[in-house]
Amino acid sequence: MRFNYHTCILITLWINMAQLVGQEDKEKTTALKDLLSRIDLDELMKKDEPPLSFPKTLEEFEYAFNDQGQLRHIKTGEPFVFNYREDLHRWNQKRYEALGEIITRHVYELLETECNMTKEILPVDATEDEPKSFIYLSDDALTNPDKLLVLIQGSGVVRAGQWARRLIINEDMNSGSQIPFINRAVEVGVDRGLWLLENGVELSWGCIWHPFFNHLTCR
């Protein structure tokens, strides 16, 4: 194939233009990456989500526990729905956590009203500025000389009276709470003292309560 002078000029111009376009695209890509690196994706997501304001009670959430101890919507009868709003995982998670705090308070109430347990602040002689926690005790927990049953839940968000918050919400109260174990302990015999520890023996701020010495050791 033979090329004349003008053809060579056109080919040269085309190559130069292609190189310039490629360089321009590369610069645009670099600029775009730099722009994206400056964007806080979490903050961007927050702008598109509703306010993180949630109900304070089960009634306001429109949920209640039925006779089987299952959490159900009071209007539809459906179980709890995590993905209440599509494509808003962070908002849904915060809503779930808000419900979890309500569940915790509800279990505390059941411990006192249905299980006849008493909430005691520890240490008993702590000042206002000292770290404190609490436990739940049966009537004879400090006086029974024969037997003492201590229930300790795992770490994380679960609190006294709970094995797993997720099970309480998604399954039922018997699956996720310690209440069936408490009732069983009462059925076995009244000669059994009962303690429920809040957040386990090792408290959330890194302290360990020594009940028999009335002493709190902190790391």
Side-chain angles (χ1 to χ4, degrees):
M1 181 181 294
R2 299 178 61 183
F3 296 95
N4 57 30
Y5 175 76
H6 294 93
T7 301
C8 292
I9 294 296
L10 290 174
I11 292 175
T12 302
L13 289 174
W14 179 82
I15 293 174
N16 290 335
M17 290 179 64
Q19 290 176 341
L20 289 174
V21 171
Q23 181 66 27
E24 184 178 352
D25 289 342
K26 184 177 180 180
E27 292 176 354
K28 288 182 179 179
T29 301
T30 302
L32 180 59
K33 289 182 178 179
D34 181 65
L35 177 61
L36 291 175
S37 67
R38 299 171 184 268
I39 296 176
D40 189 330
L41 295 180
D42 288 337
E43 291 297 327
L44 190 62
M45 292 173 62
K46 291 178 183 178
K47 294 180 180 179
D48 296 329
E49 68 182 10
L52 298 177
S53 178
F54 303 104
K56 303 299 183 182
T57 65
L58 279 178
E59 291 76 13
E60 292 176 1
F61 253 106
E62 297 187 336
Y63 279 96
F65 286 96
N66 60 21
D67 294 338
Q68 290 75 44
Q70 301 167 324
L71 187 67
R72 293 292 183 265
H73 196 278
I74 60 177
K75 294 181 179 179
T76 66
E78 295 295 321
F80 176 75
V81 177
F82 179 85
N83 290 319
Y84 188 76
R85 291 177 180 266
E86 294 293 335
D87 301 325
L88 289 176
H89 179 80
R90 179 178 177 274
W91 187 90
N92 289 329
Q93 179 64 32
K94 293 296 183 181
R95 174 175 175 267
Y96 175 81
E97 293 172 2
L99 176 63
E101 292 301 315
I102 296 174
I103 295 297
T104 293
R105 295 194 296 271
H106 181 70
V107 172
Y108 287 160
E109 182 179 348
L110 294 178
L111 293 177
E112 297 181 18
T113 59
E114 295 190 7
C115 300
N116 298 317
M117 304 197 73
T118 303
K119 180 179 179 180
E120 296 291 344
I121 304 298
L122 299 178
V124 294
D125 57 352
T127 64
E128 292 185 1
D129 297 332
E130 290 180 325
K132 294 179 286 291
S133 187
F134 58 87
I135 60 176
Y136 281 92
L137 305 176
S138 63
D139 292 340
D140 62 341
L142 298 178
T143 59
N144 192 315
D146 298 322
K147 298 177 181 178
L148 177 65
L149 175 62
V150 180
L151 296 182
I152 307 174
Q153 77 282 2
S155 60
V157 298
V158 291
R159 294 294 182 264
Q162 302 179 50
W163 293 127
R165 178 189 293 179
R166 176 182 60 83
L167 291 179
I168 295 177
I169 294 176
N170 297 319
E171 297 295 333
D172 54 52
M173 186 65 71
N174 285 339
S175 299
S177 79
Q178 297 174 347
I179 292 176
F181 294 82
I182 298 171
N183 293 335
R184 178 58 178 164
V186 174
E187 292 174 4
V188 168
V190 295
D191 61 338
R192 190 183 302 269
L194 183 61
W195 288 27
L196 298 186
L197 301 188
E198 169 67 4
N199 208 32
V201 174
E202 185 168 353
L203 306 179
S204 59
W205 54 80
C207 301
I208 300 177
W209 169 248
H210 305 279
F212 296 103
F213 300 102
N214 191 27
H215 180 64
L216 189 71
T217 300
C218 298
R219 292 197 299 265

